[in-house]
Amino acid sequence: MIVAAVYFVVAVGAAVMSGKNLDRHLQGPRLRAAWAEGLTAEARCVSLRTEEVQSPEGGPLTHTHPTLEFRTADGHTVSFEERQSRLTPALGDSVTVYYGAENPKDATTRAPSFGMRHARTLITGAGSFFALVSAVIIALVP
């Protein structure tokens, strides 16, 4: 029984840490801040930057990062490079951006989604559930 309890505590701790790390890796805090106030604007693609990287298999991959420019609700012009979206507009194209009034440079073209808003909670909850099930099995096995 003690082994199961220790296992449960360690596994829940690992689930919490995994949830935090995944959320940080996916830039969850930045995206949630951009979505929080519900502010949107139409941005125009003013330039494209191409980046060559290596795929996990060793082959070349090309990523294109657009620089977008938009006007905030209070009239300031903001320019930022979008790195998190799979969206690749052509030069001059308009796209919708989501931004927070406090830090409009952290804008994103990614639309709010349930998964990104709650990624940390979902991963932590799923890991904790499996930790509980495993701990009960460990406790019941003679």
Side-chain angles (χ1 to χ4, degrees):
M1 186 67 102
I2 291 174
V3 171
V6 169
Y7 169 82
F8 177 72
V9 169
V10 170
V12 167
V16 168
M17 289 177 61
S18 294
K20 284 175 78 172
N21 287 336
L22 178 65
D23 189 49
R24 197 171 32 247
H25 175 74
L26 295 175
Q27 295 194 5
R30 181 184 72 84
L31 292 174
R32 284 190 297 279
W35 298 328
E37 297 172 47
L39 298 172
T40 62
E42 285 301 307
R44 192 171 61 83
C45 179
V46 295
S47 70
L48 296 168
R49 183 177 65 83
T50 304
E51 176 181 47
E52 299 267 337
V53 295
Q54 192 172 21
S55 74
E57 293 82 31
L61 284 177
T62 302
H63 294 292
T64 302
H65 305 291
T67 297
L68 303 169
E69 191 172 275
F70 68 97
R71 275 187 144 0
T72 62
D74 59 4
H76 290 91
T77 299
V78 176
S79 182
F80 73 100
E81 183 179 84
E82 176 63 271
R83 297 186 53 88
Q84 289 297 311
S85 178
R86 289 172 181 75
L87 172 73
T88 308
L91 278 174
D93 281 358
S94 290
V95 295
T96 300
V97 294
Y98 303 84
Y99 70 96
E102 286 288 314
N103 201 356
K105 279 199 169 274
D106 280 344
T108 183
T109 58
R110 289 187 66 176
S113 68
F114 180 84
M116 275 309 301
R117 286 184 186 262
H118 303 288
R120 184 177 185 170
T121 304
L122 292 170
I123 295 300
T124 301
S128 297
F129 172 76
F130 287 117
L132 177 63
V133 170
S134 300
V136 168
I137 291 170
I138 290 169
L140 295 178
V141 172

